[in-house]
Structures are given as structure tokens and as C-alpha cells.
Amino acid sequence: MELIEIVIHAFESIIKKYNMQSSIISENEVVLFSDKYILSFLRHAGELEMVYIEKKEDGDLYQYNIDSFIANSISEEARMQIKERLKKESKTEIDLALLAYTLEKKWDDLLLGGKEWIKEYQNFLLYIPARNVTQLKEKKYKGKCI
């Protein structure tokens, strides 16, 4: 299954609830986006990385590496339930299902484009300050999600 299909399937209710759109950036990167932010899913070397990119009013893009932060908030109960339900699925499908479930259950502020979640992220052990990725992403994302 293509990455876009896996992402859309896992995030179907989030896409509908938060009025998000999807776009294929490359064969290994898919984004979900709104007018306030971009969630980028990048698959490389069998691993999945999710980043949050804030769209500033001035057009700048700021990236937060939040995959470890969100993964850390997945309950053990959710892990067991989803892994059992999807035991015949790929690692990518399970990882995306866990991320989608946790984002929807615990991170409404983030999905609404709010900023309150950033305070909690700043206290996370693996916190990395946001960095301006405008020049890095502008050409790659132009016409696809910005």
C-alpha cells in the first residue's frame, strides 16, 4: 500500500473533523495540512517520522520535531489494543494508527492549530526548539500545501 493511502486511512476521522487536506510531496513524504500547520509524515529506512510545521502569518514555516513527544503520550492500553487489532498490518500502518489515535484523543489543541501544547512540549526531555525551515521547504511544498 502507498504511504498516502496508509496516512489517509489512519487519519480519516482527523481529516474530516479538522477539515484537513492531504498532498503527496514525494514517494516517501505525505502531508496533512490546514491553513495553520502541516503534519509531515516521512518514511525512510523503514522508520516513520512525523513533524509539525507551523505556518506563520508572515509566510515563514517553523518545524517542531514532535514524533517522540506524541509517541511518549501513547498509553500502554492503546498500544496493546491497536497492535492486537492490526496485528497483520505493517509497522508503518500500526505506527500511524497509534499516532492518529493519540492525536485525536489527547491533542485537540494541536489539531485545531492552537499553541498551548507547545508549553508541554518545551518540558519534554527530548524537546528541540522550533527552527525556521522556510527556505528548506518552500520550493518543495509550494503549490502542494502552502
Side-chain angles (χ1 to χ4, degrees):
M1 197 180 314
E2 296 289 323
L3 183 58
I4 185 74
E5 295 168 86
I6 299 169
V7 170
I8 288 174
H9 179 72
F11 282 80
E12 185 176 8
S13 64
I14 288 174
I15 291 167
K16 288 177 184 171
K17 183 176 179 180
Y18 297 94
N19 196 30
M20 298 185 78
Q21 296 178 56
S22 62
S23 186
I24 299 170
I25 304 302
S26 71
E27 115 179 19
N28 292 317
E29 184 178 10
V30 170
V31 295
L32 299 179
F33 63 97
S34 72
D35 60 339
K36 296 180 181 178
Y37 65 92
I38 301 164
L39 286 179
S40 169
F41 301 93
L42 185 62
R43 183 171 49 188
H44 54 90
E47 294 297 318
L48 182 73
E49 178 182 6
M50 180 183 78
V51 297
Y52 177 97
I53 301 170
E54 179 184 3
K55 295 179 179 179
K56 298 279 190 177
E57 288 183 25
D58 63 4
D60 281 351
L61 302 172
Y62 279 81
Q63 179 172 308
Y64 295 85
N65 293 6
I66 62 167
D67 54 353
S68 295
F69 175 63
I70 300 300
N72 189 61
S73 71
I74 299 171
S75 72
E76 195 55 39
E77 182 181 336
R79 282 183 202 281
M80 299 305 285
Q81 287 175 352
I82 289 171
K83 284 181 179 179
E84 180 60 29
R85 183 170 47 92
L86 301 176
K87 61 184 164 193
K88 294 182 180 171
E89 305 302 333
S90 71
K91 180 180 183 321
T92 300
E93 288 169 290
I94 293 169
D95 289 348
L96 283 167
L98 284 165
L99 287 170
Y101 176 85
T102 303
L103 282 167
E104 192 166 19
K105 296 294 181 205
K106 296 183 178 180
W107 300 107
D108 188 60
D109 178 63
L110 182 148
L111 293 171
L112 287 168
K115 305 290 180 273
E116 287 299 311
W117 66 271
I118 295 171
K119 292 176 188 166
E120 192 170 337
Y121 176 52
Q122 289 173 331
N123 292 319
F124 181 58
L125 180 65
L126 301 174
Y127 166 72
I128 299 169
R131 63 186 179 109
N132 188 325
V133 294
T134 308
Q135 290 184 334
L136 203 77
K137 302 287 187 184
E138 209 165 35
K139 288 179 184 168
K140 189 176 183 184
Y141 286 1
K142 194 77 169 171
K144 295 182 178 181
C145 58
I146 57 171

